[in-house]
Amino acid sequence: MVAEPQQPLLTARQAAWLVLWREEPRAEDKAPLLAQLRAQHADVAEAIDLAQDFARLVRQRQPQQLEPWLARAAKSAVGAFQRFAKGLRDDDDAIKAGVTLPWSSGPVEGQITRQMFGRASLALFERRFVLASGRVQAPSEAQVRPAAA
């Protein structure tokens, strides 16, 4: 006889939100789910800890915690965190600025993504950004479209 699970299974998206949701507003009924996720495997527990610690240091702007976190992630058994740490080290100045400075380019990037999604091409990019500066002359129609054979 097969028993139905008492709770529906979590999707990957639900699990990610459960892990990254701020601790304070997280509903008390979600704590057992998070504990269940941690109990699945040591690598899963390590990934949860690394993800929550990274989110905390970014949210609370704790640049002094970045280097120890990167060292932990680089030594992690979870390959995704090793690669993530390497990528962060490759862009060290931007990461430190993002953790310490109050400015964010997120709203701008969101607008660009929403406006350009599904339409991006080199010609559109050139018209939107390169030519917007006014320093570059617009290409003629013949330059944009190749001649018919």
Side-chain angles (χ1 to χ4, degrees), residues 46-63:
E46 182 181 16
I48 290 170
D49 290 341
L50 284 166
Q52 288 180 332
D53 290 347
F54 185 76
R56 190 175 303 112
L57 80 86
V58 170
R59 285 181 187 135
Q60 296 175 0
R61 299 194 184 279
Q62 300 174 330

Side-chain angles (χ1 to χ4, degrees), residues 1 9-10 18 22 27-28 30 34 44-45 47 55 59 66 71 83-84 88 93 117 122 124 132 138 145:
M1 179 176 190
L9 298 176
L10 289 176
L18 179 63
R22 293 179 192 261
E28 287 184 26
K30 302 295 184 197
L34 192 55
V44 173
R59 285 181 187 135
L66 182 60
R83 291 185 299 277
F84 183 62
L88 291 180
D93 291 338
F117 185 76
L122 190 54
L124 179 59
R145 289 194 185 134

Side-chain angles (χ1 to χ4, degrees), residues 62-74:
Q62 300 174 330
Q64 70 281 6
Q65 296 297 321
L66 182 60
E67 192 55 42
W69 185 90
L70 287 170
R72 278 179 49 215

Side-chain angles (χ1 to χ4, degrees), residues 79-114:
F81 278 100
Q82 293 172 0
R83 291 185 299 277
F84 183 62
K86 182 188 178 318
L88 291 180
R89 284 196 191 279
D90 290 346
D91 207 7
D92 195 49
D93 291 338
I95 300 305
K96 286 184 180 164
V99 173
T100 58
L101 300 175
W103 303 290
S104 169
S105 62
V108 173
E109 291 174 13
Q111 283 290 84
I112 291 169
T113 300
R114 187 168 57 241

